[in-house]
Amino acid sequence: MADSRVQIQTTRFGSLSVPEAACYAFPEGILGFPGLTRYALFDNPGGGPLKWLQCLEDPALAFVCCDPALFVPGYRVAVHREDLQGLSLERVEDGHVLVILVIAKVPSESTANLLGPVVLNVPARLGKQLVLSDSEHSSRHPLFSATKA
Amino acid sequence: MLVLSRQKDESIMIGDGIRITVVDVRGDKVRLGITAPKDVKVFRAELYEEIQRQNREALQPAPEDVDKLKDLLG
């Protein structure tokens, strides 16, 4: 079972085979895209640390995301108990946090949405986009410092 | 849109489970208390809209831009 794979349709990469274990249910969807509740997470086929969160119900609906530690060391998500319940998340170590990127035409101006992280319950294959209402995090955090040479 | 007048410490009910109470009124600022079931999400509207907006902007980036960012990351 660990090895079972599913064929998914993507606008970006055509038909792809991903492990079933990489398919997540998002019962509440991604904000702004209600009713679309199944997504697959896979590494960028072109390599590198970026990942794609691809909707299984709409080939054109896909987001690029990454581990926030890549750009924001020490980024922490204050998760409310009700959010954890929505994810059936009982152990912190089962959780995995991703942030969605807005990739700019000038790539060094790309930003990460730290205000609306995606939290996954990896063993349960459940996901949810949180809204960090009590957070000082930015919805458009620059990936690269403005002072970069 | 339904418009109701309420004074301080008065409430409105939305369905059986959601109660919104006017906690304080000071100048042009109103403080509201909200009691709702745990599965009802309550946010400031602008926060919710901002995340929706960012999600839409993030949607389906151009492949060449993703590759450029990847190259930048090394």
Side-chain angles (χ1 to χ4, degrees), chain B:
Chain B
M1 180 164 49
L2 172 67
V3 178
L4 300 171
S5 292
R6 299 277 66 194
Q7 297 185 337
K8 190 179 165 189
D9 297 329
E10 292 183 337
S11 298
I12 61 166
M13 292 297 297
I14 299 176
D16 294 331
I18 302 172
R19 175 187 286 266
I20 299 174
T21 306
V22 178
V23 174
D24 196 14
V25 183
R26 221 172 272 178
D28 60 358
K29 202 172 203 175
V30 180
R31 285 169 63 81
L32 301 174
I34 298 138
T35 311
K38 287 196 184 308
D39 60 339
V40 173
K41 295 187 265 185
V42 180
F43 308 114
R44 290 179 178 86
E46 60 269 27
L47 185 66
Y48 193 82
E49 287 155 5
E50 170 61 13
I51 290 180
Q52 286 192 342
R53 189 159 50 240
Q54 289 304 308
N55 284 346
R56 282 197 204 96
E57 265 187 59
L59 191 57
Q60 193 76 351
E64 59 271 23
D65 294 340
V66 178
D67 288 340
K68 275 192 256 170
L69 177 61
K70 184 206 80 184
D71 293 342
L72 208 55
L73 293 169

Side-chain angles (χ1 to χ4, degrees), chain A residues 11-12 28 30-31 46-47 60-64 71 100-103 105 113 115 129 131 133 139-140 144, chain B residues 38 41 43 47-48 50-52 54-63 65-66 68-70 72-73:
Chain A
T11 300
R12 170 72 172 82
E28 295 166 40
I30 296 285
L31 288 177
L61 186 56
F63 304 93
V64 172
F71 300 101
I100 296 178
L101 306 183
V102 174
I103 299 180
K105 283 276 160 214
N113 183 354
L115 202 57
Q129 185 173 31
V131 177
S133 53
S139 63
R140 45 187 88 197
F144 302 97
Chain B
K38 287 196 184 308
K41 295 187 265 185
F43 308 114
L47 185 66
Y48 193 82
E50 170 61 13
I51 290 180
Q52 286 192 342
Q54 289 304 308
N55 284 346
R56 282 197 204 96
E57 265 187 59
L59 191 57
Q60 193 76 351
D65 294 340
V66 178
K68 275 192 256 170
L69 177 61
K70 184 206 80 184
L72 208 55
L73 293 169

Side-chain angles (χ1 to χ4, degrees), chain A residues 24-39 53 55 57 61 63 79-89 117-120 125-131, chain B residues 37-43 48 51-52 55:
Chain A
Y24 289 83
F26 281 67
E28 295 166 40
I30 296 285
L31 288 177
F33 304 96
L36 298 167
T37 57
R38 294 172 56 235
Y39 288 83
L53 190 63
C55 181
E57 294 144 332
L61 186 56
F63 304 93
V79 185
H80 293 274
R81 185 170 295 134
E82 46 269 35
D83 287 330
L84 293 177
Q85 283 169 353
L87 282 164
S88 307
L89 200 55
V118 170
V119 179
L120 304 176
R125 292 198 270 135
L126 273 172
K128 180 182 167 86
Q129 185 173 31
L130 303 187
V131 177
Chain B
K38 287 196 184 308
D39 60 339
V40 173
K41 295 187 265 185
V42 180
F43 308 114
Y48 193 82
I51 290 180
Q52 286 192 342
N55 284 346

